[in-house]
Amino acid sequence: MKKIVGLSLFTALVMMSCKKNETADQLKLDASETTTQQAPVVLESDIIKEANKQPETSLALSEPSFDFGKIKKGDVVEHIYEVTNTGKNPLIISNVQPTCGCTVPDFTKDPILPGQKGKITLKFDSSNFDGVVHKAAQVYANVAKNPIELTFTADIQPK
């Protein structure tokens, strides 16, 4: 029952944090055309199970949060979070899930060997926001505590 309530709250949060005129499952094609794409439903517990299938290791982040500062409305900005494998087994990032459709993740897909570095990039589209925003993404990997949260803020100024 707790999982259902938690998932419902998480879904509500995601829906509220997305673009004003789009739902979480819409893909904007251009200024005049939108289409609805049904994303496969993947439960957080399934993602954690997938991440935990690999031998556990540890990681260090260059920073868990980033501040873009003042940006103009409509700017698309990105930040790269550096990940270092500090454990003894290969680090495998299995998924990165942003909490809003305004943020697109990219990450190192290959195993990161002990002592080596990988990257997690979060690209943010500020088109539908005003003022200070706080966004997050959940990182799932073969580490003890899943998920790891990355956050960023931006102060969106009018054009």
Side-chain angles (χ1 to χ4, degrees), residues 124-136:
F124 170 65
D125 182 351
S126 66
S127 297
N128 292 304
F129 299 95
D130 297 298
V132 177
V133 295
H134 304 277
K135 298 294 177 184

Side-chain angles (χ1 to χ4, degrees), residues 146-157:
N146 266 304
I148 299 162
E149 186 172 74
L150 298 178
T151 61
F152 65 85
T153 58
D155 185 0
I156 301 162
Q157 306 292 305

Side-chain angles (χ1 to χ4, degrees), residues 9-111:
L9 290 173
F10 177 76
T11 302
L13 177 63
V14 168
M15 295 297 286
M16 289 187 302
S17 66
C18 286
K19 295 179 181 180
K20 294 176 186 174
N21 297 324
E22 295 183 26
T23 61
D25 60 350
Q26 285 183 325
L27 172 65
K28 192 165 189 172
L29 299 176
D30 63 37
S32 64
E33 181 181 354
T34 58
T35 184
T36 301
Q37 300 281 335
Q38 290 295 66
V41 176
V42 180
L43 297 176
E44 183 177 25
S45 61
D46 292 338
I47 296 170
I48 292 172
K49 285 178 190 173
E50 184 65 31
N52 289 336
K53 282 183 180 178
Q54 304 300 322
E56 194 173 285
T57 193
S58 57
L59 64 81
L61 292 168
S62 58
E63 65 220 333
S65 62
F66 181 77
D67 185 359
F68 285 108
K70 291 183 179 182
I71 63 173
K72 295 283 186 196
K73 184 176 181 110
D75 284 354
V76 176
V77 294
E78 68 178 49
H79 181 68
I80 298 171
Y81 299 82
E82 191 173 87
V83 179
T84 304
N85 182 349
T86 58
K88 296 182 189 227
N89 294 311
L91 172 65
I92 299 168
I93 301 171
S94 57
N95 201 357
V96 177
Q97 286 189 322
T99 55
C100 177
C102 60
T103 304
V104 177
D106 189 26
F107 57 94
T108 301
K109 311 286 190 294
D110 295 328

